[in-house]
Amino acid sequence: MTIAMTKPALTTTRISGIDVATDRYVSVNGPPVTAMPSWGLTTKTADAEYHLHPAICYELHYCVPFYILVHTFNGAQGRFAVGDERLGHWVADAQGTCLIPPDLPIRIIQDTPLEFLGIGIHPERFDRVAKNASIEWRGMTDMFKTTDPALAAVCSEIRRCMIAEPLGTGDFLDALTDALLTRLVTWHLTPTSEEVEGPEILSPALARRVAQTVETMLDRPIRVAALAEEAGLSRAHFSRAFAHRFGMPPRDYIRSRRIARARAMLTDTVLSVSAIAMGCGFATPSHLTTAFRLELGLTPTAYRRALRTHTANVGTDAAPGQAAHAST
């Protein structure tokens, strides 16, 4: 079986009323925005703000006066630059976490869909927590990136709370955030060996083609062997190269993209869970429910209900520090 890898025609996709072609675009060649874009589900507390960005492509140039903690839930790739550096290829690790200090200009073009949690933290709060974590803390000027199961677990719980919990979870989110900061500071101050690049990697162009092929076939069975054949590699070689480039094995990436499509359909359509499961390539509704529960900690029906509750609360009066939500 041979899969034709052709770039899909450009279409304007709307997710929860957001025009992807315009609203998720801040040109890397223009001036940076000075606030975190509210492109998904947003919650704010007294000295932090939380943005759960849906899995989608985007372009962004920003420079904000506070720390930003970013956790990526799936593997993806794009182009990235700090300050006036030239844009270079970059890979987002599945369940990877990075910390960006205040006033550091960041430019990014996301070529394949990426779901991430972005937490903006006031510098005074960050430094207070950091100094409590280690007397060696002297601040930071460069971006720090790591992959840690403990950080991934806490970020997944924050995502679950933002989606499924009722309003008024600010204290719990703040406690989880302090735990994240304590762990990150400890990792930042711990010497680690440099990662050695392996010989088996996909080129950026080939990786984009594979990702585009997966997107066009999510409603059908996708054979890893067929993807490997089209890439001109053995299945074993392709699987290793894919995992190196995307941060997860091909089957896990395909499952994550199916779940991302199901989330969009649960948000933007009134289709039944059975119809959505079929449209996203799951064999049965129970397979979708199992995958959904493992990924998000709740069922598709509960996810849809939670988003409707959040949407109903958009625009209502809220006291300072109370959550303000928009659908993801």
Side-chain angles (χ1 to χ4, degrees):
M1 175 181 175
T2 300
I3 301 172
M5 293 187 177
T6 57
K7 186 174 181 179
L10 180 63
T11 59
T12 299
T13 304
R14 300 190 70 86
I15 295 181
S16 303
I18 296 175
D19 191 336
V20 177
T22 57
D23 295 344
R24 297 173 192 250
Y25 176 80
V26 178
S27 174
V28 295
N29 298 316
V33 294
T34 56
M36 296 177 68
S38 297
W39 284 347
L41 194 63
T42 298
T43 299
K44 296 183 179 180
T45 61
D47 50 12
E49 54 185 83
Y50 304 79
H51 300 270
L52 183 58
H53 190 291
I56 200 165
C57 301
Y58 59 91
E59 181 169 334
L60 178 62
H61 184 194
Y62 69 90
C63 182
V64 297
F66 42 81
Y67 285 92
I68 297 181
L69 184 154
V70 176
H71 183 80
T72 52
F73 292 102
N74 65 283
Q77 63 169 328
R79 286 157 283 172
F80 182 87
V82 177
D84 295 329
E85 294 178 356
R86 183 177 179 179
L87 286 167
H89 180 74
W90 84 296
V91 176
D93 296 324
Q95 303 298 343
T97 310
C98 71
L99 184 63
I100 302 168
D103 302 316
L104 186 65
I106 298 293
R107 292 179 293 141
I108 181 169
I109 299 175
Q110 194 60 49
D111 292 318
T112 59
L114 176 67
E115 179 187 7
F116 68 86
L117 170 68
I119 306 177
I121 307 149
H122 193 283
E124 290 184 4
R125 175 183 176 181
F126 187 98
D127 288 336
R128 181 178 67 253
V129 175
K131 289 175 182 177
N132 287 336
S134 174
I135 60 174
E136 299 179 8
W137 176 255
R138 298 293 184 271
M140 60 182 293
T141 57
D142 296 321
M143 185 175 67
F144 171 68
K145 180 180 179 182
T146 189
T147 302
D148 173 38
L151 294 172
V154 177
C155 289
S156 293
E157 175 62 9
I158 290 177
R159 177 174 67 172
R160 188 197 66 80
C161 288
M162 291 181 67
I163 293 172
E165 294 291 335
L167 300 180
T169 58
D171 290 343
F172 185 44
L173 289 180
D174 280 337
L176 291 173
T177 302
D178 285 350
L180 279 176
L181 301 185
T182 299
R183 180 75 171 182
L184 264 176
V185 168
T186 302
W187 273 79
H188 182 259
L189 296 175
T190 301
T192 57
S193 59
E194 293 292 328
E195 180 183 359
V196 178
E197 289 285 342
E200 296 177 328
I201 60 174
L202 295 179
S203 69
L206 182 55
R208 281 194 295 272
R209 289 169 55 200
V210 170
Q212 289 166 356
T213 297
V214 170
E215 292 299 308
T216 63
M217 295 189 63
L218 288 177
D219 60 340
R220 289 165 278 167
I222 303 175
R223 296 175 54 241
V224 175
L227 295 175
E229 178 184 349
E230 190 67 28
L233 301 171
S234 70
R235 175 168 177 166
H237 187 167
F238 174 79
S239 295
R240 289 191 296 269
F242 187 98
H244 188 278
R245 176 64 71 188
F246 287 91
M248 63 176 69
R251 289 192 181 281
D252 289 350
Y253 178 83
I254 293 168
R255 184 177 63 249
S256 73
R257 295 307 307 141
R258 293 193 197 281
I259 294 173
R261 174 172 289 187
R263 290 170 65 181
M265 294 175 73
L266 286 164
T267 304
D268 297 334
T269 75
V270 294
L271 293 174
S272 67
V273 172
S274 296
I276 291 173
M278 182 178 298
C280 296
F282 289 96
T284 66
S286 63
H287 286 165
L288 169 60
T289 298
T290 298
F292 222 83
R293 192 187 294 277
L294 288 173
E295 178 76 14
L296 297 168
L298 70 167
T299 66
T301 300
Y303 178 85
R304 173 176 271 171
R305 186 185 307 118
L307 290 187
R308 286 175 177 171
T309 300
H310 293 321
T311 301
N313 282 283
V314 172
T316 59
D317 293 333
Q322 222 175 3
H325 292 274
S327 295
T328 181

